[in-house]
Amino acid sequence: MCDANRKDLIIMCRCEDITVDEVRAYIEQGVTDLEQLKRLLRVGMGPCQGRTCTPLIVNELARATGQPVKEIPLTVFRQPTTPVKLGVLAGGTDHE
């Protein structure tokens, strides 16, 4: 039995505990950019860094927008602006 009002509580992002229904709700509100979803829902920001949920969310975006999966832009990796030695973080060396 299919109920249109039933929420889809399947977990899409296990690290951040985000459901399919939560992702779809944002997409229905017009958020169709993976980077925006990442900022709003924290998908892809857990320990797996999106290895599990990103393909699922990209497929959901493709389905909702009618775009091919390969045309959905992925998020970008941003490296730290300045390398920091672990000793500095631990307070074990003199600061420059």
Side-chain angles (χ1 to χ4, degrees), residues 9-58:
L9 300 178
I10 296 171
I11 302 294
M12 187 172 276
C13 177
R14 291 182 285 175
C15 298
E16 297 297 326
D17 202 29
I18 305 297
T19 65
V20 171
D21 192 56
E22 290 173 291
V23 171
R24 286 180 181 162
Y26 274 93
I27 292 171
E28 288 172 8
Q29 293 174 15
V31 180
T32 58
D33 179 62
L34 184 59
E35 193 73 41
Q36 286 180 310
L37 286 172
K38 181 178 177 180
R39 288 190 173 109
L40 293 167
L41 290 171
R42 294 195 43 83
V43 292
M45 296 178 78
C48 85
Q49 292 294 291
R51 284 181 203 88
T52 304
C53 64
T54 297
L56 299 172
I57 296 168
V58 167

